[in-house]
Amino acid sequence: SFADRAFADVTCSVAVVVRALSVAYILTSSRKASAGSSLGSLGTFLESVLSQFSVVRPACTMGRSLAARYFAKIGLYLALVALAWLAHHGRGLLFRDRRTSVASAVNMLGLLLSGFYILIAKGVVLVYECRANPNGVETMQDYPDVACASAERAAVLPYAHLLTVALVIGVPVSFTVAVYRAPGRLDRDERFTEMTMFLFEHYKRERYYSGLLLLARSFLLSLTAVAFPGSIIMQTAFYVCVLSVSIVTTLLLRPYSSRTNNFLDACLCLLLMWLALSNGALVALSTAAASAAAAG
């Protein structure tokens, strides 16, 4: 019906906006601009909303060790996914409601993981992000009080490797397998369709792979700081490249069922490109000014 379609379109629009806010956090958190700039303020705001959740400060309540801060951030995201999943399916599973099937539970879990993926991936790989300092000691990007060569970071790395394989790589691989199988099973296999509907329901049926393209965008953006450590120019160029490809893809394929959401996604990507360029320029200028001041 028209009401159902309108509700689905609004839900998709909300998902597009939330995904854009998550990307904005990635763009501003890895390369914080000077505190006095508007972008620096935006980065602080996004960090408080999307990362630190100022109401729940795990870094404060669990101690100041790297392990506590690292696992608290990832654990918070996973806890939110688990709580949302339980809120949606817990009652049915507890009372064995026949309306709650395993397939619908898997679909809900996939929906939540795809929504939180970029934040979870960024939280996992931040342990690999190091930056050089004038004193010659490399420190972690998000935790500058921890040296990259320290035993504290070395103790966390094995767990980070496992999380990278399980979450950062495992989630895209699982979704890729589902999309690969979709042409022969979608709408023909009722159980498969119900389990994987989160990947396809907001897109045109002939663009069934579009959800995977968005996940690939999140994957690339979350790993940019790891691929180009300490290079603001290369990070900014890569962000702009990924977002440009995303805009062109959206305009050419028009993957969403709603024209409004195609337009919304393209416009938000354009704003994110501006954010990446502006924030990159501010960080580069502030770094050059700091180096000049130190040399003088």
Side-chain angles (χ1 to χ4, degrees):
S1 66
F2 174 79
D4 292 337
R5 175 174 290 185
F7 178 77
D9 289 342
V10 171
T11 302
C12 182
S13 298
V14 172
V16 170
V17 172
V18 171
R19 191 182 296 117
L21 285 173
S22 300
V23 173
Y25 163 66
I26 298 300
L27 297 178
T28 55
S29 66
S30 294
R31 310 169 307 157
K32 292 183 175 62
S34 59
S37 69
S38 59
L39 287 172
S41 300
L42 175 62
T44 302
F45 169 74
L46 290 170
E47 184 171 358
S48 65
V49 174
L50 295 172
S51 176
Q52 298 301 321
F53 293 90
S54 56
V55 176
V56 181
R57 301 286 296 198
C60 296
T61 57
M62 294 185 64
R64 298 294 298 173
S65 70
L66 173 62
R69 288 178 286 177
Y70 177 70
F71 291 117
K73 179 176 286 189
I74 300 171
L76 184 56
Y77 295 144
L78 295 178
L80 288 173
V81 170
L83 287 174
W85 185 86
L86 287 173
H88 191 268
H89 286 289
R91 184 178 181 277
L93 294 175
L94 183 63
F95 295 100
R96 297 183 179 180
D97 189 341
R98 293 182 179 178
R99 293 173 297 179
T100 302
S101 65
V102 174
S104 64
V106 172
N107 178 67
M108 183 62 181
L109 180 60
L111 177 65
L112 291 169
L113 284 176
S114 63
F116 278 90
Y117 175 78
I118 190 168
L119 296 177
I120 294 173
K122 178 63 176 177
V124 170
V125 303
L126 64 83
V127 75
Y128 304 118
E129 299 174 9
C130 294
R131 65 178 182 184
N133 295 289
N135 61 3
V137 177
E138 284 193 337
T139 58
M140 294 183 62
Q141 177 71 35
D142 280 43
Y143 306 117
D145 58 307
V146 179
C148 287
S150 66
E152 188 177 15
R153 176 173 176 268
V156 173
L157 283 176
Y159 302 100
H161 298 336
L162 291 175
L163 290 171
T164 298
V165 173
L167 296 174
V168 181
I169 298 175
V171 170
V173 168
S174 300
F175 290 1
T176 300
V177 172
V179 171
Y180 177 77
R181 294 180 177 178
R185 302 182 64 177
L186 199 60
D187 293 331
R188 300 176 185 176
D189 186 333
E190 183 178 350
R191 183 178 177 82
F192 175 84
T193 302
E194 187 178 3
M195 289 176 64
T196 60
M197 186 54 62
F198 70 95
L199 281 170
F200 312 110
E201 61 181 338
H202 296 304
Y203 309 105
K204 298 175 182 177
R205 193 46 54 95
E206 65 270 20
R207 309 297 188 203
Y208 65 92
Y209 49 81
S210 299
L212 195 60
L213 297 179
L214 293 175
L215 189 68
R217 182 180 73 185
S218 298
F219 176 81
L220 293 172
L221 292 176
S222 66
L223 293 177
T224 301
V226 178
F228 307 103
S231 176
I232 300 301
I233 295 177
M234 289 300 300
Q235 289 181 23
T236 301
F238 191 75
Y239 285 137
V240 171
C241 180
V242 172
L243 292 169
S244 298
V245 171
S246 183
I247 292 174
V248 172
T249 301
T250 299
L251 294 177
L252 290 179
L253 298 181
R254 298 178 183 177
Y256 293 100
S257 301
S258 167
R259 286 190 295 177
T260 301
N261 287 325
N262 287 315
F263 178 75
L264 178 63
D265 189 77
C267 288
L268 288 175
C269 282
L270 191 61
L271 289 174
L272 290 171
M273 282 180 59
W274 168 82
L275 179 63
L277 288 169
S278 302
N279 194 47
L282 285 172
V283 172
L285 289 173
S286 62
T287 302
S291 299

